Amino acid sequence: MQKSVRYNEGHALYLAFLARKEGTKRGFLSKKAAEASRWHEKWFALYQNVLFYFEGEQSGRPAGMYLLEGCSCERTPAPPRTSAGPAGARDALDKQYYFTVLFGHEGQKPLELRCEEEQAGKEWMEAIHQASYADILIEREVLMQKYIHLVQIVETEKIAANQLRHQLEDQDTEIERLKSEIVALNKTKERMRPYHSHQEDEDPDIKKIKKVQSFMRGWLCRRKWKTIVQDYICSPHAESMRKRNQIVFTMVEAETEYVHQLYILVNGFLRPLRMAASSKKPPISHDDVSSIFLNSETIMFLHEIFHQGLKARLANWPTLVLADLFDILLPMLNIYQEFVRNHQYSLQVLANCKQNRDFDKLLKQYEANPACEGRMLETFLTYPMFQIPRYIITLHELLAHTPHEHVERKSLEFAKSKLEELSRVMHDEVSDTENIRKNLAIERMIVEGCDILLDTSQTFIRQGSLIQVPSVERGKLSKVRLGSLSLKKEGERQCFLFTKHFLICTRSSGGKLHLLKTGGVLSLIQCTLIEEPDASDDDPKGSGHMFGHLDFKIVVEPPDAAPFTVVLLAPSRQEKAAWMSDISQCVDNIRCNGLMTIVFEENSKVTVPHMIKSDARLHKDDTDICFSKTLNSCKVPQIRYASVERLLERLTDLRFLSIDFLNTFLHTYRIFTTATVVLAKLSDIYKRPFTSIPVRSLELFFATSPNNRGEHMVDGKSPRLCRKFSSPPPLAVSRTSSPVRARKLSLTSSLNARIGALDLTTSSCSSSPTTHSPTASPPPHTAAVLESSPAHPAGDSTEPSPCRSPSTPRHRRYRQPGGQAADSSHCSVSPASAFAIATAAAGHGSPPGFNNTERTCDKEFIIRRTATNRVLNVLRHWVSKHAQDFELNNELKMNVLNLLEEVLRDPDLLPQEKKATANILRALSQDDQDDIHLKLEDIIQMTDCPKAECFETLSAMELAEQITLLDHVVFRSIPYEEFLGQGWMKLDKNERTPYIMKTSQHFNEMSNLVASQIMNYADISSRANAIEKWVAVADICRCLHNYNGVLEITAALNRSAIYRLKKTWAKVSKQTKALMDKLQKTVSSEGRFKNLRETLKKNKNHSSWPCSCNPPAVPYLGMYLTDLAFIEEGTPNFTEEGLVNFSKMRMISHIIREIRQFQQTAYRIDQQPKVIQYLLDKALIIDEDTLYELSLKIEPRLPA
């Protein structure tokens, strides 16, 4: 009897040699010996399904081997240790990784192994599992079961076939019997008719004719059906059905992507954070998790069901019925209402939680998951906000291709109406959400953080780079030069303007922002803006000549610190005007609102918020206006639809002016009205303020205490309704202001100290003459004091001094003379009078024609003063930020000049108003607003070089910089009015949008130049080197934020003439190809340029800017044109009632503001004429057909 098993030892040694050399897993493991407590270290090598072990790594002959087929491997706990031995040794043994190999038959002891590291143990277990062929065995079992099942089916089929065969045989027997019976019956019939004559056989010609006729009938029938089918295929109905099916397929793909995004939100963030909230040291509470994610998990479950239903419908293609799915979805849409309603609070809770370092660190780990693709949690939380509008667009397209008699027509229309109703609610919440996202993005960029950005009432206005001039000593600028490199480098600041604060930051080399330690956060209520710093005695020329009139001052007077001044330089006069307009508008809103609040709270039962709420025209829908639920920066409901008259009324409402409304109106007014109508309205407000203001607004504006309520009514025939004088903008500041001694006035209030105190009571109504005190003026950085006392000698009067700023005054605090109590028993000053006193108290005395008593008690004075201020504010904003309107319309420019000159001719005009008007006139009259900006025509004239550089002598950096310079010059030359009305898609696009077409032409020429330069080389190596150089140029353009240049180069490299050159691409390095793929992914048009949008919203440390990466930058214009076309086609300009769709105007204005932000910030790149001459040389460009012919000549097609 054989006692041992023989095997081929030579082959085993050969396999051992292969295992040592090419084994899938090799290394030292400890193998448990027969003794229970002894382990021996061996060197193991795994090859296919055989595990060899050697005495050492250098051993040539294996000590043993194991066949692993059919085995299993599992981890085992560390064996218990005795107390003997040092504690360190026991801890080391406990940390080792133990696992056991179990063989699938009895009699074979398990193989117990251990290793030092857990990762190595897992790798060994995975390798042994693969070598055991367990998956193959399982698959074999499955296949065996299927085989047995199929054998059973075959046997069953054989039995059924036998049964059918027997039945057929029985039927054949029955048929034979019936045939015999028929034959017998026929014979009987013949015997019964012996005299029947047989008919002669049919004529063969007749048979042929019938055969031909039958063939023709069949051919005609087939031809008719073919014609019918072809006609249907070409019919509009079939084309509509094809488009309808394509829309459904696209909808399913979008739904799949949306469900995937919700899956990442729930499984990548929500559930892990729930587990973290249950840990011993939770970085976040369960309540905060619920507040952040709301009902996103329920939304995911709902859309998973909807997605499964869509996929089931595809199984029934081409019959696609969707109405019942939307019928199921519609009752559940209230969960979206809850999500949108609390989305703003969700982002706010998330911002608060990020203050916790542990939570912020944990969240960054989750966001680093590859499935997130670099997107932040805020991005995923925003996706549900845009799903309902996406459904509406899909249903709109479906209905466009669904016949009116279609069975689903009514159901789809009902679903669309319900979704539109929900979308209106969502749209009211989106603007607040976007504002919070912008604020949070900026807050994350600032290393120190900024608590004021967590205030939901903060609205982002603008951002940009300004240069801060060094310290201001004794009110004088230090002697610095604008062209100094150190000033530009060390003084460059990143500035952010909000409705209530102004942030000044420095940028580190890593791209992070740091708030200035002193003056980093400026509260606008404490600021005074000086547009044109005046010359001093020591510096007669003034800083304006030193800095080219690009500087402006912000004087800050904090209540708990010494005043200081911030001097900033703008890159150009146009940008300075834009900054000045926005800052002054924000300050005006804060000051006027604060002053109105003080006046009405102290002297009336009607406060400012109540005054606005009491006016139903500001929040109640009517036939000519419809409001949304979202509030603007003035806490007034935003307008959704309105007539042109109501929009003009809102523009000239004297109680408030929202800067977002003003920007939207001035960007889009040409869609629904003309500049002449707008100017006529402003002129009417200035000349006839009372007749141009609604009666209800006047009543509420003059609402005071009960004994004064009847005094504000104005006789419509009164001659005072006409403008006899005008007054300065409110709260204007003089450089020196003398206290007024005419009457005793106490101006104090319990308002917040940061706003300043203001209370109005009078001790007498005397109309004594006004004289001035010789008391010296207060310092520039101290609050002005208005004291009232008996008249002083006339010789003490002083001359009034010029004002500081017509639009951004400092807030004054007024006090009584020391020791004198106010006596209010004689008469009380109404809020109207208080407003007039407070806004007029600039130390100038009374203007000619009005004494103090008339000025103080005349309520008409407030309306005239506020109307003048409103007209000047709107005109200043219009002229400074929309100068193109006046450059292209000379008639409009002349009308504005006439209006301003009429204001200047007013004999009662105060210095504040005169300076404000003069500033607007100067801005409107100057022709060198764009003197520092290059134009493409100027560049072409400057590049008349005798000899242009060739491609080989130019570096990639030079090419990238000059491409970026050219792209930005072309991009910034586009006027914003060309973005309205989709003019670039019309037949007369060259006349309507010449600059957009020039941008498109420049893009094509640069792309053609890249392709032509590559094809000019005859040898493969030179072409490969040219491709690598152009890819390097594209990467440098990416670093310069010139994404238009990146797309120009990648589009050229993807042309068929170059893409097909396989031999050339084979010579290109792998690093260049990988970089090329990365650049293509960045500028890909998939998902409406999703990756490019994400890139524009990120900077170096993956934090979002409010609307873009840090300018300067050149985005791809086609991305914005796609957005504008999407808005234009999705929503009409006017409703069915003829109202202006102002929500659409707001969306268009948002995109235009983002474009203009990129346009206004120029690159600091020096022009190189030789490089530009090469880039603009059209002689180097080869047309598309010639390029492809040259490509075929270089690398012919391979034979099929």
Side-chain angles (χ1 to χ4, degrees):
M1 183 175 181
Q2 187 176 357
K3 297 181 179 180
S4 61
V5 178
R6 294 182 180 180
Y7 72 100
N8 189 342
E9 183 178 2
H11 188 64
L13 292 177
Y14 174 70
L15 292 178
F17 171 75
L18 291 178
R20 287 175 53 82
K21 185 178 180 181
E22 304 174 358
T24 56
K25 186 67 180 175
R26 293 166 290 179
F28 284 99
L29 293 175
S30 296
K31 174 177 174 294
K32 189 174 182 181
E35 296 80 8
S37 60
R38 298 194 61 183
W39 293 80
H40 300 287
E41 188 176 36
K42 305 290 184 181
W43 195 80
F44 284 78
L46 178 62
Y47 182 75
Q48 294 182 356
N49 64 336
V50 183
L51 179 64
F52 297 92
Y53 62 93
F54 304 82
E55 293 297 335
E57 186 175 359
Q58 304 300 328
S59 300
R61 188 178 184 87
M65 67 178 181
Y66 292 94
L67 296 175
L68 300 180
E69 183 171 357
C71 70
S72 62
C73 186
E74 61 184 18
R75 183 177 180 180
T76 56
R81 302 294 176 188
T82 60
S83 60
R90 292 198 304 272
D91 294 341
L93 290 175
D94 290 339
K95 293 181 180 179
Q96 291 186 345
Y97 192 91
Y98 294 83
F99 59 95
T100 304
V101 181
L102 302 175
F103 298 93
H105 57 276
E106 297 180 358
Q108 177 67 40
K109 293 182 179 180
L111 175 61
E112 299 185 23
L113 302 171
R114 76 181 182 190
C115 61
E116 298 293 335
E117 298 179 356
E118 181 179 357
Q119 181 63 27
K122 291 182 178 179
E123 292 177 357
W124 271 106
M125 289 181 63
E126 178 64 23
I128 293 172
H129 177 74
Q130 294 290 340
S132 67
Y133 301 150
D135 296 336
I136 297 177
L137 293 176
I138 294 173
E139 187 176 357
R140 178 181 175 279
E141 288 295 329
V142 173
L143 293 175
M144 186 57 69
Q145 292 294 333
K146 291 182 178 180
Y147 173 73
I148 294 173
H149 179 64
L150 291 175
V151 169
Q152 293 176 354
I153 293 175
V154 171
E155 293 297 331
T156 304
E157 292 294 333
K158 286 182 179 180
I159 296 173
N162 290 329
Q163 292 177 354
L164 290 174
R165 192 178 297 110
H166 291 306
Q167 291 179 5
L168 290 174
E169 291 176 354
D170 294 340
Q171 294 295 332
D172 290 339
T173 305
E174 182 67 20
I175 289 172
E176 291 297 332
R177 187 183 63 80
L178 292 175
K179 284 183 178 180
S180 61
E181 290 183 0
I182 291 173
V183 171
L185 289 173
N186 288 335
K187 289 180 179 180
T188 306
K189 192 175 182 181
E190 288 294 333
R191 286 194 300 267
M192 292 175 64
R193 293 186 295 174
Y195 302 103
H196 178 70
S197 60
H198 297 281
Q199 295 181 353
E200 296 182 356
D201 294 335
E202 194 171 13
D203 190 356
D205 294 336
I206 299 298
K207 288 183 179 181
K208 292 179 180 179
I209 292 173
K210 289 183 177 180
K211 187 175 181 180
V212 172
Q213 289 177 344
S214 176
F215 174 78
M216 290 299 296
R217 282 194 298 267
W219 180 79
L220 290 173
C221 183
R222 287 192 299 271
R223 182 180 180 183
K224 183 178 180 180
W225 275 110
K226 182 179 180 181
T227 304
I228 293 173
V229 172
Q230 288 179 346
D231 290 344
Y232 176 75
I233 291 175
C234 300
S235 65
H237 183 272
E239 181 66 21
S240 179
M241 290 297 102
R242 282 194 294 270
K243 291 182 179 179
R244 188 176 189 272
N245 292 340
Q246 185 61 39
I247 293 170
V248 175
F249 297 152
T250 306
M251 177 183 177
V252 175
E253 294 176 359
E255 190 69 20
T256 303
E257 176 66 19
Y258 180 56
V259 171
H260 178 65
Q261 292 165 354
L262 292 177
Y263 178 83
I264 295 175
L265 175 64
V266 173
N267 292 279
F269 293 98
L270 172 57
R271 291 172 180 172
L273 285 176
R274 280 179 180 171
M275 295 178 62
S278 301
S279 60
K280 291 183 179 180
K281 295 181 179 180
I284 186 174
S285 64
H286 284 284
D287 292 339
D288 288 341
V289 173
S290 301
S291 299
I292 292 173
F293 292 93
L294 304 171
N295 55 352
S296 55
E297 194 169 14
T298 308
I299 293 176
M300 185 190 73
F301 293 149
L302 170 63
H303 283 276
E304 283 180 345
I305 297 172
F306 186 65
H307 183 234
Q308 293 297 330
L310 286 176
K311 291 197 297 186
R313 292 299 187 274
L314 289 183
N316 297 327
W317 187 85
T319 304
L320 296 176
V321 180
L322 303 175
D324 57 337
L325 288 178
F326 282 101
D327 291 339
I328 298 173
L329 183 66
L330 287 175
M332 304 179 186
L333 291 180
N334 57 341
I335 63 175
Y336 269 101
Q337 294 180 356
E338 180 182 352
F339 187 91
V340 174
R341 191 178 301 114
N342 298 288
H343 187 58
Q344 178 178 350
Y345 176 70
S346 166
L347 297 178
Q348 199 170 12
V349 172
L350 179 59
N352 294 334
C353 291
K354 286 183 178 180
Q355 303 298 325
N356 185 349
R357 292 185 178 180
D358 295 335
F359 174 80
D360 191 52
K361 181 179 179 181
L362 183 64
L363 183 60
K364 288 181 179 178
Q365 291 179 0
Y366 295 156
E367 291 174 347
N369 189 340
C372 296
E373 298 178 351
R375 293 170 290 183
M376 297 185 296
L377 176 57
E378 292 91 336
T379 304
F380 287 98
L381 289 173
T382 310
Y383 282 139
M385 302 287 290
F386 304 103
Q387 187 63 16
I388 298 301
R390 190 175 292 117
Y391 283 149
I392 295 175
I393 295 172
T394 302
L395 287 177
H396 180 76
E397 294 175 349
L398 274 177
L399 288 171
H401 301 292
T402 301
H404 290 279
E405 64 277 3
H406 198 277
V407 66
E408 288 191 302
R409 180 80 186 187
K410 291 184 178 179
S411 298
L412 293 177
E413 288 177 346
F414 175 76
K416 180 172 176 285
S417 63
K418 287 294 183 182
L419 288 172
E420 287 176 343
E421 182 178 351
L422 177 63
S423 178
R424 293 190 188 97
V425 178
M426 294 180 64
H427 182 268
D428 295 339
E429 305 293 337
V430 164
S431 57
D432 281 349
T433 302
E434 291 295 326
N435 179 57
I436 290 180
R437 287 186 63 197
K438 292 176 183 177
N439 293 359
L440 290 178
I442 299 175
E443 197 273 340
R444 291 190 66 178
M445 273 294 300
I446 300 174
V447 176
E448 300 84 1
C450 191
D451 294 339
I452 65 165
L453 297 183
L454 303 180
D455 182 7
T456 57
S457 62
Q458 289 279 8
T459 303
F460 173 79
I461 303 299
R462 70 180 291 117
Q463 74 173 53
S465 296
L466 299 174
I467 298 176
Q468 184 175 4
V469 179
S471 61
V472 177
E473 300 176 356
R474 300 178 183 178
K476 302 176 184 178
L477 288 173
S478 59
K479 301 298 182 179
V480 293
R481 295 178 57 194
L482 179 60
S484 172
L485 293 177
S486 61
L487 176 61
K488 289 185 177 180
K489 182 177 180 181
E490 299 175 3
E492 185 172 2
R493 302 288 185 261
Q494 190 68 29
C495 301
F496 301 90
L497 176 63
F498 297 86
T499 50
K500 296 181 181 179
H501 289 84
F502 185 76
L503 305 185
I504 305 177
C505 306
T506 59
R507 184 184 297 280
S508 63
S509 58
K512 296 183 179 179
L513 296 179
H514 298 270
L515 284 172
L516 295 181
K517 294 182 179 179
T518 303
V521 180
L522 306 181
S523 177
L524 295 180
I525 193 64
Q526 303 168 358
C527 296
T528 301
L529 182 64
I530 303 178
E531 299 185 21
E532 297 290 343
D534 296 333
S536 62
D537 296 335
D538 298 337
D539 186 12
K541 292 185 178 181
S543 62
H545 293 278
M546 183 188 306
F547 299 121
H549 297 284
L550 299 179
D551 59 322
F552 60 93
K553 289 183 181 179
I554 299 178
V555 180
V556 187
E557 298 175 307
D560 52 354
F564 60 93
T565 302
V566 178
V567 182
L568 299 172
L569 298 180
S572 65
R573 292 184 180 181
Q574 184 179 8
E575 287 200 38
K576 175 188 174 181
W579 276 102
M580 298 297 302
S581 177
D582 288 338
I583 295 175
S584 60
Q585 186 64 51
C586 293
V587 174
D588 286 346
N589 285 339
I590 295 175
R591 296 286 172 77
C592 291
N593 291 342
L595 183 59
M596 294 283 286
T597 302
I598 294 168
V599 172
F600 282 103
E601 283 182 351
E602 293 296 329
N603 298 275
S604 173
K605 296 181 179 179
V606 181
T607 61
V608 172
H610 179 67
M611 179 180 69
I612 294 176
K613 291 180 180 178
S614 300
D615 191 354
R617 293 172 60 86
L618 296 179
H619 57 81
K620 187 176 181 181
D621 293 349
D622 203 346
T623 56
D624 57 351
I625 196 168
C626 179
F627 295 95
S628 66
K629 296 181 180 180
T630 305
L631 304 181
N632 59 22
S633 57
C634 296
K635 301 306 176 185
V636 178
Q638 288 185 347
I639 297 175
R640 177 180 291 154
Y641 312 117
S643 62
V644 178
E645 291 76 14
R646 292 299 293 269
L647 292 176
L648 292 172
E649 179 183 318
R650 173 64 65 90
L651 179 69
T652 55
D653 196 316
L654 304 184
R655 291 166 290 180
F656 56 86
L657 179 60
S658 170
I659 191 168
D660 50 357
F661 174 83
L662 182 59
N663 284 328
T664 301
F665 185 91
L666 292 178
H667 273 135
T668 60
Y669 72 88
R670 62 184 66 243
I671 296 178
F672 50 84
T673 186
T674 61
T676 305
V677 175
V678 177
L679 184 60
K681 181 66 176 179
L682 294 176
S683 178
D684 197 44
I685 284 290
Y686 171 74
K687 296 177 181 177
R688 293 181 295 276
F690 289 94
T691 58
S692 302
I693 299 174
V695 177
R696 179 57 180 163
S697 299
L698 285 174
E699 294 174 357
L700 292 170
F701 196 77
F702 286 119
T704 58
S705 55
N707 55 352
N708 292 339
R709 298 217 171 192
E711 299 178 5
H712 67 271
M713 298 304 294
V714 181
D715 185 6
K717 299 181 180 179
S718 173
R720 301 186 67 185
L721 289 178
C722 301
R723 175 170 290 277
K724 298 296 184 181
F725 67 96
S726 60
S727 47
L731 296 171
V733 180
S734 63
R735 182 173 295 277
T736 58
S737 56
S738 302
V740 179
R741 303 288 184 179
R743 302 166 58 238
K744 291 185 178 180
L745 280 174
S746 174
L747 302 174
T748 58
S749 176
S750 59
L751 193 66
N752 192 310
R754 278 187 287 177
I755 299 178
L758 180 61
D759 185 18
L760 292 134
T761 56
T762 57
S763 57
S764 67
C765 291
S766 173
S767 59
S768 58
T770 301
T771 57
H772 300 283
S773 169
T775 307
S777 302
H781 304 315
T782 58
V785 179
L786 174 62
E787 299 181 355
S788 300
S789 62
H792 287 263
D796 294 338
S797 61
T798 59
E799 290 295 324
S801 60
C803 65
R804 240 188 211 181
S805 171
S807 57
T808 55
R810 80 181 65 171
H811 200 81
R812 288 182 173 74
R813 292 175 294 174
Y814 300 90
R815 58 181 174 82
Q816 288 181 340
Q820 294 184 2
D823 183 8
S824 59
S825 60
H826 294 77
C827 69
S828 61
V829 179
S830 68
S833 303
F835 185 86
I837 295 172
T839 54
H844 300 287
S846 300
F850 287 91
N851 56 33
N852 284 342
T853 305
E854 185 176 6
R855 179 179 293 275
T856 328
C857 302
D858 185 7
K859 297 178 182 178
E860 299 176 10
F861 176 75
I862 305 172
I863 297 298
R864 292 193 175 95
R865 186 179 189 85
T866 312
T868 303
N869 178 57
R870 174 54 43 81
V871 172
L872 292 178
N873 276 342
V874 174
L875 286 178
R876 179 185 55 206
H877 203 85
W878 195 358
V879 170
S880 62
K881 301 187 72 174
H882 304 272
Q884 294 172 345
D885 291 4
F886 305 94
E887 295 173 2
L888 302 176
N889 190 342
N890 190 54
E891 181 182 357
L892 174 65
K893 181 177 179 179
M894 296 306 300
N895 290 336
V896 175
L897 289 174
N898 293 335
L899 176 60
L900 294 174
E901 290 173 356
E902 181 180 353
V903 174
L904 285 177
R905 287 195 298 268
D906 189 348
D908 297 322
L909 197 67
L910 292 183
Q912 295 96 322
E913 279 189 331
K914 183 177 294 184
K915 188 170 184 178
T917 309
N919 287 339
I920 300 173
L921 274 172
R922 183 171 61 253
L924 191 61
S925 302
Q926 64 186 6
D927 298 328
D928 57 344
Q929 292 184 357
D930 298 331
D931 53 348
I932 69 167
H933 292 292
L934 293 172
K935 295 183 179 179
L936 188 61
E937 294 78 5
D938 300 334
I939 292 177
I940 294 175
Q941 293 177 0
M942 295 168 61
T943 56
D944 295 335
C945 299
K947 182 180 179 181
E949 296 284 348
C950 61
F951 179 71
E952 293 80 4
T953 60
L954 298 176
S955 66
M957 178 63 73
E958 290 175 334
L959 288 170
E961 287 184 346
Q962 299 308 304
I963 288 174
T964 301
L965 179 62
L966 287 176
D967 287 350
H968 189 267
V969 168
V970 175
F971 176 72
R972 72 171 300 277
S973 65
I974 306 174
Y976 74 92
E977 60 265 16
E978 289 194 8
F979 296 113
L980 304 176
Q982 298 188 84
W984 62 91
M985 301 176 65
K986 308 299 183 183
L987 295 176
D988 55 344
K989 55 187 176 182
N990 291 323
E991 290 76 20
R992 297 182 61 175
T993 57
Y995 288 95
I996 290 180
M997 302 313 299
K998 183 182 296 184
T999 304
S1000 177
Q1001 179 185 356
H1002 176 73
F1003 181 96
N1004 295 332
E1005 289 177 352
M1006 292 302 301
S1007 183
N1008 290 336
L1009 175 65
V1010 175
S1012 301
Q1013 185 64 55
I1014 295 173
M1015 297 302 296
N1016 276 334
Y1017 295 102
D1019 57 310
I1020 295 177
S1021 299
S1022 298
R1023 287 196 301 272
N1025 292 334
I1027 290 176
E1028 292 182 351
K1029 186 173 182 179
W1030 280 119
V1031 172
V1033 172
D1035 190 45
I1036 299 174
C1037 288
R1038 178 188 61 82
C1039 297
L1040 293 173
H1041 295 166
N1042 180 13
Y1043 299 102
N1044 186 74
V1046 175
L1047 194 55
E1048 287 172 349
I1049 297 174
T1050 55
L1053 297 178
N1054 281 321
R1055 289 192 173 189
S1056 57
I1058 296 178
Y1059 187 79
R1060 62 174 299 276
L1061 301 176
K1062 296 182 180 180
K1063 295 180 181 179
T1064 302
W1065 283 102
K1067 289 284 186 178
V1068 178
S1069 64
K1070 294 182 179 179
Q1071 293 82 357
T1072 301
K1073 291 180 180 178
L1075 180 59
M1076 175 72 177
D1077 294 338
K1078 179 181 177 182
L1079 295 174
Q1080 286 181 339
K1081 184 178 180 181
T1082 301
V1083 296
S1084 172
S1085 61
E1086 294 181 358
R1088 295 177 60 243
F1089 297 94
K1090 179 180 67 175
N1091 295 333
L1092 180 55
R1093 295 177 194 276
E1094 293 293 334
T1095 304
L1096 285 171
K1097 290 181 181 178
K1098 295 178 183 177
N1099 63 358
K1100 295 181 181 179
N1101 61 349
H1102 303 286
S1103 295
S1104 296
W1105 288 91
C1107 66
S1108 62
C1109 65
N1110 185 24
V1114 186
Y1116 176 53
L1117 181 63
M1119 178 179 67
Y1120 294 113
L1121 297 183
T1122 303
D1123 294 341
L1124 291 171
F1126 183 81
I1127 295 172
E1128 291 282 0
E1129 295 177 358
T1131 52
N1133 292 332
F1134 299 92
T1135 64
E1136 296 178 355
E1137 294 79 14
L1139 303 181
V1140 179
N1141 188 350
F1142 206 67
S1143 295
K1144 176 181 178 179
M1145 305 299 123
R1146 197 176 293 113
M1147 291 187 288
I1148 293 175
S1149 175
H1150 176 77
I1151 296 175
I1152 294 178
R1153 284 202 301 271
E1154 184 172 340
I1155 295 174
R1156 296 190 72 188
Q1157 180 181 355
F1158 287 122
Q1159 290 180 324
Q1160 291 174 356
T1161 306
Y1163 280 92
R1164 297 177 181 176
I1165 297 176
D1166 295 330
Q1167 179 186 352
Q1168 299 184 26
K1170 291 185 178 181
V1171 183
I1172 292 181
Q1173 186 177 7
Y1174 163 76
L1175 294 174
L1176 297 180
D1177 189 359
K1178 297 183 179 180
L1180 300 175
I1181 298 176
I1182 305 174
D1183 63 272
E1184 186 70 25
D1185 296 336
T1186 308
L1187 273 178
Y1188 197 78
E1189 293 175 0
L1190 188 59
S1191 176
L1192 293 176
K1193 182 179 179 181
I1194 292 173
E1195 292 188 17
R1197 289 194 183 101
L1198 296 176

